[in-house]
Amino acid sequence: MKDRKAIRVNNIIIFCIVMSLIVASLLVVVLFSTDSGFVKMQSSIQEYMVCQNAAVDLESASAYLTEQVRLFVISGDVRNMELYFEEANITRRRDNAIAELEKWYDETEAMQLLRKAKEQSVRLMDTEYHAMRLAAEAYELDIDLLEAPVRDYMLAENELLLSKEEQRELALSLVSNRDYQDARAAIKNDVNGCMESIIASAKKREENAKAIFQDAYTILKISVFLLIALVVGFGLALRQVVVKPLKKYDRNVKAGITLPLEGAYELQKLAGTYNDVYEENRENQKLLRHEADHDALTKAFNRGAFDRLLRLYENGDAKYALVMIDVDNFKAINDTFGHAVGDSVLRQVASVVKDQFRSMDYVCRIGGDEFAVIVVDVTSEQKEVLSAKLNAVRKKLAQANGDIPAVTLSMGVAFSDRKNPGASIYKDTDTALYGVKENGRDGFAFF
């Protein structure tokens, strides 16, 4: 066999695997680099959007509180006060903005500026409570029904002596004077400073991600070049030592002739074992025929095999006997114990019958709960021997076996050399079986 100088596909594959691992390593570097860059860029964008929204929410919440205070002072509508405290105590956009920003920028300048803006907004609330208490007095509202911070705010004695109009003017002045406006401007400046810090941080991350993408692109170009070279080389090698010989093999197999010893080492080995494969296939065909002739549940011969065997013996000269077996009250077993137990009963019947008869005898399952045995090389003179076997089967099955209940059988027997034969041995055996059933089952009879 030409195998010493033959090129081995295994060697080609090893070479390609090594080269593939090198290329794969480069691609892994690219993958992790681009993944890292993408994550950083995505994180930067997400952080920017979240933090921008947080900063805007804080300023909006502060402006919203101012708006509701002013509307209450101007109109005396208690609903504006309720909206004010709903924002301050329930919606709490300022607190939520701080909590959101802490996830990304804790201990940073941006976070410090946003905290400063919130603190300034909180300090303004004392002025706003003052203004709302004055407005409540001016509009003669029931103080006991107001929110606690407004209800508990203590006005100066001179403020209580003011007229209703003066109280309204003073309340409006508190939330619109220069000091209040400066405080609002300070909040906005701190929020803007926070946004500038966030933008600077996001831009720096974007630049880092861009550098990562550029390096990854260079490695990717090198990897693609190596991959193309590897694929082309591998394809040419396989064409020469595998594809061409396989085409010849295909032609020879169709022609039914042996394979040429050429091509890769592994193909030459394949050609050398071609005839062995044929032998193995023949064995497999035998196995398939065995599967086709046997019952899947009990492993006994099936009805098709029984019919063929019986015809063979009926048309031959050999002496034999036919035993037909029915499981008594099998439907009741299925109805009482379930079909799984019923299947176990059938398997046990087949097993016990096989144990009592010889390996040369043919045990068959010919129906749902019907079995038959073709007992070869026996004559009617051996009736006692056959009776002993049948009694042994009955005795074994009369005992429960774990979850499998005890069962009885009705059996009929006919010998090929029987006296006064009927139309066929099958009908004569069935006649004997029918007689057992008519006489109470659980037994056997000879035709």
Side-chain angles (χ1 to χ4, degrees), residues 95-124:
D95 296 330
N96 294 336
I98 294 294
E100 192 65 41
L101 198 63
E102 284 176 344
K103 297 177 183 178
W104 307 93
Y105 287 92
D106 196 19
E107 305 300 332
T108 63
E109 181 183 0
M111 190 70 245
Q112 293 173 1
L113 288 170
L114 201 64
R115 287 196 181 105
K116 183 179 177 183
K118 185 201 170 183
E119 291 169 0
Q120 182 66 36
S121 178
V122 171
R123 283 195 295 270
L124 280 180

Side-chain angles (χ1 to χ4, degrees), residues 255-289:
I257 59 177
T258 59
L259 305 181
L261 299 179
E262 62 180 57
Y265 170 81
E266 291 84 356
L267 291 182
Q268 293 186 26
K269 295 287 287 184
L270 174 65
T273 57
Y274 184 66
N275 291 332
D276 293 337
V277 172
Y278 268 122
E279 291 298 324
E280 291 178 4
N281 284 340
R282 276 203 292 267
E283 292 299 321
N284 288 336
Q285 290 299 323
K286 290 180 182 179
L287 179 61
L288 289 175
R289 285 194 294 272

Side-chain angles (χ1 to χ4, degrees), residues 134 157-167 170:
L134 278 170
E157 185 175 349
N158 62 323
E159 292 175 331
L160 293 172
L161 296 175
L162 294 173
S163 67
K164 304 303 180 185
E165 184 62 30
E166 289 172 334
Q167 287 177 333
L170 179 58

Side-chain angles (χ1 to χ4, degrees), residues 268-443:
Q268 293 186 26
K269 295 287 287 184
L270 174 65
T273 57
Y274 184 66
N275 291 332
D276 293 337
V277 172
Y278 268 122
E279 291 298 324
E280 291 178 4
N281 284 340
R282 276 203 292 267
E283 292 299 321
N284 288 336
Q285 290 299 323
K286 290 180 182 179
L287 179 61
L288 289 175
R289 285 194 294 272
H290 179 273
E291 295 285 341
D293 289 340
H294 286 75
D295 175 54
L297 177 65
T298 63
K299 308 306 178 185
F301 285 100
N302 58 27
R303 181 58 184 257
F306 169 74
D307 291 339
R308 292 193 298 273
L309 289 167
L310 187 58
R311 282 197 302 270
L312 179 66
Y313 277 92
E314 283 182 323
N315 296 328
D317 297 326
K319 302 300 182 182
Y320 67 98
L322 177 61
V323 181
M324 293 181 64
I325 304 170
D326 275 6
V327 180
D328 293 333
N329 302 312
F330 183 70
K331 183 179 183 302
I333 294 174
N334 273 336
D335 293 342
T336 303
F337 299 99
H339 288 280
V341 173
D343 289 346
S344 298
V345 167
L346 294 177
R347 282 192 291 267
Q348 179 164 274
V349 169
S351 176
V352 171
V353 172
K354 286 179 182 178
D355 288 344
Q356 293 302 320
F357 286 87
R358 301 164 297 176
S359 60
M360 60 190 295
D361 299 325
Y362 300 98
V363 178
C364 311
R365 182 187 177 193
I366 61 174
D369 61 332
E370 301 172 356
F371 293 85
V373 184
I374 299 175
V375 188
V376 303
D377 294 332
V378 295
T379 65
S380 56
E381 294 178 356
Q382 295 169 289
K383 182 182 296 187
E384 296 301 324
V385 175
L386 194 54
S387 296
K389 290 180 179 293
L390 299 180
N391 280 322
V393 169
R394 294 175 60 207
K395 181 178 180 181
K396 181 71 175 177
L397 293 175
Q399 301 174 2
N401 181 14
D403 294 333
I404 303 175
V407 295
T408 62
L409 305 178
S410 295
M411 298 176 280
V413 186
F415 289 92
S416 59
D417 63 344
R418 63 197 180 282
K419 296 179 180 179
N420 303 317
S424 69
I425 192 171
Y426 183 89
K427 289 184 178 180
D428 290 346
T429 307
D430 190 55
T431 298
L433 173 63
Y434 183 76
V436 174
K437 289 185 176 181
E438 287 290 301
N439 287 292
R441 298 186 175 89
D442 188 18

